[in-house]
Every structure is written in C-alpha cells, then in structure tokens.
Amino acid sequence: MASASFPGVPVLLVLFFLEINITPSLTQDTEQLIERICRQMEQYGFCSQTFKENLKSPNADIVGLTQITVERALDNATQTHDFIRQLLESTTDPALKSALETCEYSYRLVMEAFQSAAVAFFQKDYDSVEKSESGTPRAEASCVDSLSKMPPNTANPLTERNNQMRILLAMALVSVHELKSIQNNEKFFITTETQMVAGGMAIEGRSEDCGGEC
C-alpha cells in the first residue's frame, strides 16, 4: 500500500509543523507568573528564557518557578566558583589574584547559601529559603567591587558570570517572596472561610437553644 504524501510540501516542513503541534504551550497562569517576576528584573529576556528552558511542566505554579531559581542559582554559583579556582591556579597578576581570592570567598558563600536553601525548599520551609538567600546579593556584590578596583586595562574574567549571577539572585528572592505571599493569602482565605462557617454554626446552635425566639 502506498504511503500518504503531501505534494509540494517538503518533508522537513511537515515535521516542523508536527513538532509545533505536539509541543505543549504554557498555561496562562504560568505565563502571568513569569511575566510578573521577570518584569522586576534588569534583563527581562534572560529571566524569561531561564524559566522557560527549565520548566518541568507547562502549567508550573509559583512553587515550580521558585524551584527553578534555587536550582539555577546553585548551579551557576557552583560553576563560577570552580571557574574562579581554576583562574587562581593560573593567574600571576597580583591585583587580579587578590580580587579573585575575594570572589572565591564570595561565591563560596553564595554556593553554601543555596545549598541550604535547596534543603529548606524540599522541606517546604520557605521562610528558611528566603533567609538563606537574603545575604547572597551582598556576597556577589563584594566580588564585583573587588574586581572594579583592579588597575585600568586589566581584563575582568567574570563580567558575564557576575551579571547572570546577580539576575539569578534577584529572581530567587522575588520568586520566594511571591510564593510566601500567595501562601499567606491562601491561608487567610481558608481561615476566614472557616471562621464564617464556625460563626454560622454557632448562631444556628443558639437559635435552636432558644426555640427560634432569641
């Protein structure tokens, strides 16, 4: 039996459209969350791309997005820390070596902070996640400051890495803050609803005790 064909349509083009049709699109809620977080970043494109390239589900909620920020920040800090250690082994410039030593310490602090944040995240202890992350921008900034004090015309080997790290740290802090805000609103709604139900039951009970004449 002859196979079906599409006259005039290249095979690669057909495959391209098939791939588009089976690729799940983000849900509106997920898009809105990403938009709300990334509009607060200095580089919207980097933020949005980071989320979309690491989504585990097209309908990821704020918990899923926060997980992405913890994982990406930890991975970036770990890789940059390793890169700095390699640079320290090869550099002979005293000024650069001094700056890199500061950066090695700074990124070690960031790396350790996100290791703690990752543990707290999987324990659903989001207060501790935020607490662990809170000091990381200051640590990263100390690396940037040390490199800015090098003599003129000295190449900065960490410019792009520091820029990405700074945005990832901001993404992490905004995401966990958003997560806590959403959870607090949900708790308030549940508490209020419970109080209203309990109040209604109490009024009904008093009415029965009074024979409906209270």
Side-chain angles (χ1 to χ4, degrees):
M1 179 178 178
S3 60
S5 62
F6 300 89
V9 181
V11 174
L12 288 178
L13 189 59
V14 173
L15 292 176
F16 174 74
F17 282 110
L18 286 174
E19 183 175 351
I20 289 178
N21 290 333
I22 64 174
T23 301
S25 59
L26 300 183
T27 63
Q28 185 176 3
D29 287 346
T30 303
E31 284 277 18
Q32 289 175 346
L33 283 171
I34 292 174
E35 181 79 5
R36 187 154 70 234
I37 294 168
C38 293
R39 285 300 174 193
Q40 301 178 58
M41 301 299 119
E42 62 183 272
Q43 290 185 24
Y44 172 87
F46 174 81
C47 173
S48 179
Q49 182 180 0
T50 298
F51 278 129
K52 291 177 181 179
E53 287 182 349
N54 293 279
L55 285 173
K56 296 173 175 60
S57 167
N59 60 344
D61 58 8
I62 188 60
V63 176
L65 296 183
T66 303
Q67 181 179 348
I68 289 172
T69 66
V70 173
E71 291 174 346
R72 299 320 306 156
L74 177 56
D75 183 64
N76 186 283
T78 302
Q79 290 191 33
T80 302
H81 182 258
D82 291 344
F83 179 68
I84 293 169
R85 293 182 65 179
Q86 293 173 12
L87 291 175
L88 281 169
E89 292 176 359
S90 60
T91 187
T92 56
D93 185 313
L96 178 57
K97 190 175 185 67
S98 177
L100 288 174
E101 286 173 347
T102 299
C103 289
E104 189 276 332
Y105 177 70
S106 297
Y107 271 89
R108 179 150 41 92
L109 291 179
V110 174
M111 185 173 62
E112 291 172 352
F114 274 93
Q115 287 171 345
S116 298
V119 172
F121 176 84
F122 287 108
Q123 293 173 342
K124 299 185 179 181
D125 182 359
Y126 303 127
D127 287 330
S128 293
V129 172
E130 188 173 42
K131 184 177 180 180
S132 295
E133 295 176 356
S134 62
T136 56
R138 186 167 59 252
E140 187 272 338
S142 69
C143 171
V144 174
D145 183 62
S146 67
L147 289 167
S148 70
K149 295 176 181 177
M150 292 190 303
N153 301 321
T154 303
N156 183 345
L158 298 180
T159 299
E160 186 60 28
R161 289 175 181 266
N162 280 336
N163 288 342
Q164 291 184 1
M165 190 77 257
R166 183 173 63 254
I167 300 169
L168 288 170
L169 297 182
M171 288 169 60
L173 285 166
V174 170
S175 296
V176 73
H177 180 75
E178 186 79 16
L179 168 56
K180 290 176 59 182
S181 296
I182 290 173
Q183 285 201 329
N184 288 337
N185 287 339
E186 289 175 349
K187 288 178 182 177
F188 175 78
F189 176 79
I190 292 171
T191 301
T192 303
E193 190 176 54
T194 302
Q195 289 173 343
M196 291 175 64
V197 171
M201 292 174 65
I203 292 172
E204 183 180 345
R206 286 199 298 273
S207 297
E208 291 177 355
D209 292 342
C210 298
E213 298 177 357
C214 296

